Amino acid sequence: MWTGTINFNNRIGPQHLHMAVRLPTEFMDPVPGQFVMIRPAGGGGTLLSRPLSIYQFVRNQDHVILELLYRVVGHGTELLSQLTRAAEVNILGPLGRGFRIDKTPSHRILLAGGMGVAPITFLADYLEGRLAGKYELKICLGAKSCAEIVGMERIKGMQGLLNIATDDGSLGSCGLVTDLLPNFTQGCDPGKTMIFACGPMAMLKTLAEQLAPTGIPCQVSIEERMACGVGACLGCAVTVHDRRGKRVQKSVCKDGPVFNIEDICWDQI
Amino acid sequence: MMNKNDYNKQGKLAVEIGALKLKNPVMTASGTFGYGEEYAPYVDLNRLGAIIVKGLSLKPRHGNPSPRIMETPAGMLNAIGLQNVGVKSFIRDKLPYLRQFDTAIIANVYGETIEEYLRVSEILTKADGVHALEINVSCPNVKKGGVAFGTDPDMVAEVTKRVKGATDLPVIVKLSPNVTDIAVMAKAAEAAGADAVSLINTITGMSVDVEKRIPHLKNVTGGLSGPAIKPIALRMVWQVAAQIHIPVIGVGGIMSAPDALEFLIVGARAIQVGTANFIDPRATMNIIEGIEAYMKRHHVVAMDDLVGSLRI
Ligand SMILES: Cc1cc2nc3c(=O)[nH]c(=O)nc-3n(C[C@H](O)[C@H](O)[C@H](O)COP(=O)(O)O)c2cc1C
Ligand code: FES
């Protein structure tokens, strides 16, 4: 477990914050899709840490900076939101299995609903660094309204075509982020395409139904309540099909949070 | 200057639970430490007194639907429902890894029927590398077995007696706090031949999302653990220790060395750390070091001088 120091913890939306934490250099380089368990140092009112997806990671000479993008949803995130510069946090991580980045697909579609923008932005950035120019990239962001589309500036600075959908039409097209998808998947070669998605379970379930007939591969990062974050408590179970098609329980924290969309038993969600 | 580990070597922290010899009284509680391996990156497993693995049943169990956990004031509710790989897969896939450590491995045993408790116990007894059995008659999150056995003294006695007859390993009976008088259950286990009792398992509770008017747990109710239950666990350990002669293992809300010392002082021969592992994977290490420091500061030379030393 690491002790980090807050560099900034800025409000960027109605309930949305952007936090940067300074950590020792021993903290390992994360892969997009991985997460950390975080809580105010010593707890400060909560018991368990909260899982937050990694938004950005920068390695410097004598420290690293970990950035997180999160929304206040309960007591734990509420306490995190009150921390200010120089406050300390306890962090466990990087944890879990992130997105698998295969060199072959030349067409990548990134889909983020709500706070799913955090790992999706990290992924877009990572792809740009590793595979510059060798692929076609489309990024789709969705949220309830314009005010809840966060982190857009950073994505705008990256290569790739940005598309936005909001439930109320206050920014981009009116509707769900999954409605944007057919424009991009029509006539594409499933063997050369990979979709990466993160967002609310309802969005991912819709996506699963939409993609089933197309054969386009998709990796999704899912959320579940967590206690340990390391596969010990079995609190974060998800039902998936194993290689033989049998239903088995997996831990979102250790076996995920990224899964192939067709492996998840969506009827259980 | 004495090195930290010298205390272990000199055995000042050593305790005996019947025939089971531990290098220190700190164990990991069942269900909170996986099969050990999950915490190996954070903890030197060799330094633990014992590792108690997740409850094992005869066949693998899927457990309950999610959400299975919820934080509550100073605690958490869980309704895992005893998801586990099953005893055979445990022996094949998990035990070989654990064998390399110089730490006692205790298997937590669960059954829906007395026959299942017996079968699982027999299979574990034949396996190489299991040092004791902890019989879980106290899981509140399963429909059959578990706490159904732990709330009836005759059933506690029956399960204990039958398991004792089926194994030569030390048998620890893990008791439920969801009873009127836990000492009655402890005495039943003792009379039936248990080598030790451990208490407490979680206390049943629930929590509601008022916006949606739904329970936070899919299973509706769950077991409460963490600091919230410590005073209750401590009181129960104190009561039980005063009434039986076999060792008592204290569990419930132990987060720090002072918490662990409270349990030892009221009469626990050893202690288990559960929920604390989730919050700080190194909690057990800090507790061992804290107990060592305390013994040094108070010139306590053996655990026996500490256990049950409460002054009233
Ligand atoms: C997530 C979770 C899973 C548990 N699973 C088991 C189990 O399989 N068998 C068992 O005997 N107790 C189980 N317990 C109970 C603990 O071993 C322990 O008795 C209880 O949590 C109280 O200790 P604590 O407050 O230190 O956590 C579980 C507890 C938690 C929180
Ligand atoms: S949070 Fe404990 S197993 Fe995933």
Side-chain angles (χ1 to χ4, degrees):
Chain A
M1 198 166 67
W2 309 100
T3 300
T5 316
I6 302 226
N7 256 359
F8 61 78
N9 191 23
N10 300 333
R11 208 160 268 274
I12 53 162
Q15 285 139 4
H16 306 64
L17 288 102
H18 179 191
M19 178 191 278
V21 185
R22 185 190 167 105
L23 286 158
T25 50
E26 289 79 18
F27 190 89
M28 289 206 313
D29 284 14
V31 172
Q34 283 192 299
F35 66 99
V36 294
M37 295 294 287
I38 179 171
R39 64 171 202 155
T46 46
L47 188 66
L48 302 172
S49 300
R50 295 297 185 270
L52 292 181
S53 202
I54 297 170
Y55 176 55
Q56 162 84 306
F57 182 79
V58 181
R59 181 166 291 284
N60 295 308
Q61 189 88 60
D62 62 345
H63 68 276
V64 301
I65 301 284
L66 178 78
E67 291 182 33
L68 306 165
L69 209 60
Y70 63 101
R71 201 163 77 91
V72 175
V73 288
H75 191 48
T77 41
E78 174 68 45
L79 286 170
L80 283 175
S81 76
Q82 290 163 7
L83 299 175
T84 52
R85 190 182 164 81
E88 291 190 334
V89 285
N90 294 141
I91 285 186
L92 198 65
L95 299 170
R97 278 166 49 122
F99 291 108
R100 263 77 74 193
I101 297 153
D102 193 330
K103 290 260 153 47
T104 37
S106 55
H107 184 196
R108 292 184 168 84
I109 305 169
L110 277 48
L111 222 59
M115 296 320 291
V117 67
I120 290 298
T121 307
F122 186 24
L123 176 64
D125 204 5
Y126 190 89
L127 288 173
E128 188 165 85
R130 310 263 148 156
L131 309 168
K134 293 199 201 95
Y135 61 97
E136 213 181 316
L137 182 67
K138 287 169 193 133
I139 306 171
C140 305
L141 300 185
K144 283 208 187 71
S145 70
C146 176
E148 299 195 25
I149 295 278
V150 293
M152 205 168 61
E153 289 314 307
R154 192 170 151 218
I155 294 188
K156 271 187 182 161
M158 296 177 197
Q159 67 170 343
L161 187 64
L162 178 61
N163 293 273
I164 293 173
T166 48
D167 296 0
D168 63 359
S170 53
L171 189 68
S173 57
C174 183
L176 301 172
V177 66
T178 41
D179 298 339
L180 299 171
L181 196 62
N183 291 335
F184 304 123
T185 52
Q186 223 142 49
C188 77
D189 178 352
K192 291 198 175 126
T193 308
M194 178 64 82
I195 299 174
F196 299 89
C198 183
M201 281 307 223
M203 161 195 156
L204 300 178
K205 195 171 176 171
T206 307
L207 184 63
E209 285 158 10
Q210 215 172 315
L211 288 177
T214 69
I216 302 171
C218 174
Q219 300 175 35
V220 290
S221 174
I222 63 171
E223 278 184 19
E224 189 49 77
R225 271 185 224 147
M226 293 184 187
C228 71
V230 299
C233 74
L234 307 179
C236 63
V238 59
T239 312
V240 304
H241 300 288
D242 70 3
R243 262 176 282 146
R244 282 187 240 123
K246 227 173 71 183
R247 283 170 182 244
V248 294
Q249 298 297 110
K250 293 280 177 189
S251 293
V252 173
C253 67
K254 190 165 152 249
D255 305 307
V258 176
F259 293 91
N260 289 326
I261 200 163
E262 75 271 17
D263 289 346
I264 294 177
C265 299
W266 293 101
D267 60 339
Q268 302 281 303
I269 285 160
Chain B
M1 263 305 278
M2 209 174 326
N3 179 292
K4 268 190 278 193
N5 292 328
D6 290 348
Y7 273 94
N8 279 340
K9 293 204 191 91
Q10 290 184 2
K12 284 195 181 162
L13 262 71
V15 291
E16 287 177 21
I17 309 289
L20 183 68
K21 291 185 172 48
L22 307 180
K23 59 174 160 296
N24 67 60
V26 179
M27 316 179 177
T28 58
S30 178
T32 67
F33 208 67
Y35 300 101
E37 202 167 351
E38 293 85 348
Y39 277 109
Y42 310 100
V43 174
D44 179 358
L45 300 182
N46 276 314
R47 288 188 62 198
L48 291 167
I51 295 170
I52 307 182
V53 299
K54 177 71 191 169
L56 296 164
S57 47
L58 192 54
K59 295 271 156 55
R61 287 177 61 97
H62 280 312
N64 291 325
S66 292
R68 292 174 166 187
I69 49 175
M70 182 64 197
E71 182 164 335
T72 55
M76 65 175 280
L77 289 168
N78 90 79
I80 309 299
L82 281 169
Q83 180 187 329
N84 78 96
V85 296
V87 67
K88 288 185 184 133
S89 162
F90 166 73
I91 291 169
R92 190 183 61 228
D93 305 328
K94 309 287 181 186
L95 198 53
Y97 173 81
L98 288 169
R99 247 179 241 136
Q100 64 180 300
F101 299 102
D102 174 29
T103 294
I105 305 303
I106 301 177
N108 184 273
V109 177
Y110 163 78
E112 285 189 359
T113 60
I114 290 195
E115 282 62 42
E116 186 176 354
Y117 278 105
L118 283 184
R119 282 294 297 141
V120 177
S121 299
E122 280 165 6
I123 294 168
L124 287 165
T125 303
K126 287 194 206 114
D128 170 29
V130 176
H131 302 101
L133 303 179
E134 181 177 59
I135 307 303
N136 177 4
V137 287
S138 43
C139 181
N141 301 319
V142 285
K143 294 211 169 55
K144 291 189 214 148
V147 78
F149 286 95
T151 48
D152 176 349
D154 295 335
M155 292 295 269
V156 170
E158 182 71 10
V159 177
T160 308
K161 198 175 77 201
R162 301 275 301 274
V163 170
K164 273 299 283 183
T167 184
D168 50 12
L169 292 173
V171 171
I172 303 162
V173 178
K174 184 163 181 184
L175 301 176
S176 170
N178 304 307
V179 293
T180 311
D181 185 357
I182 197 167
V184 171
M185 307 300 157
K187 282 189 243 171
E190 179 181 39
D195 295 281
V197 290
S198 53
L199 55 139
I200 58 176
N201 207 316
T202 54
I203 302 175
T204 42
M206 71 186 280
S207 167
V208 171
D209 179 333
V210 295
E211 293 303 322
K212 298 188 188 142
R213 304 190 196 188
I214 57 169
H216 277 124
L217 300 179
K218 194 76 179 214
N219 189 54
V220 184
T221 61
L224 182 64
S225 65
I229 70 169
K230 196 192 74 174
I232 300 169
L234 195 63
R235 183 265 296 174
M236 289 185 166
V237 166
W238 174 67
Q239 275 180 336
V240 167
Q243 296 186 50
I244 62 173
H245 304 287
I246 54 175
V248 177
I249 303 168
V251 203
I254 298 176
M255 311 301 283
S256 65
D259 292 343
L261 286 159
E262 281 190 81
F263 278 85
L264 296 169
I265 291 167
V266 303
R269 185 77 57 89
I271 59 101
Q272 297 177 11
V273 180
T275 303
N277 295 304
F278 307 155
I279 290 130
D280 180 357
R282 295 191 52 79
T284 47
M285 300 293 109
N286 297 336
I287 290 169
I288 294 167
E289 282 164 24
I291 296 173
E292 280 171 353
Y294 176 91
M295 289 175 79
K296 207 167 170 184
R297 201 164 67 241
H298 288 266
H299 309 291
V300 179
V301 293
M303 288 301 297
D304 277 348
D305 299 337
L306 189 61
V307 173
S309 60
L310 183 72
R311 303 181 189 130
I312 296 183

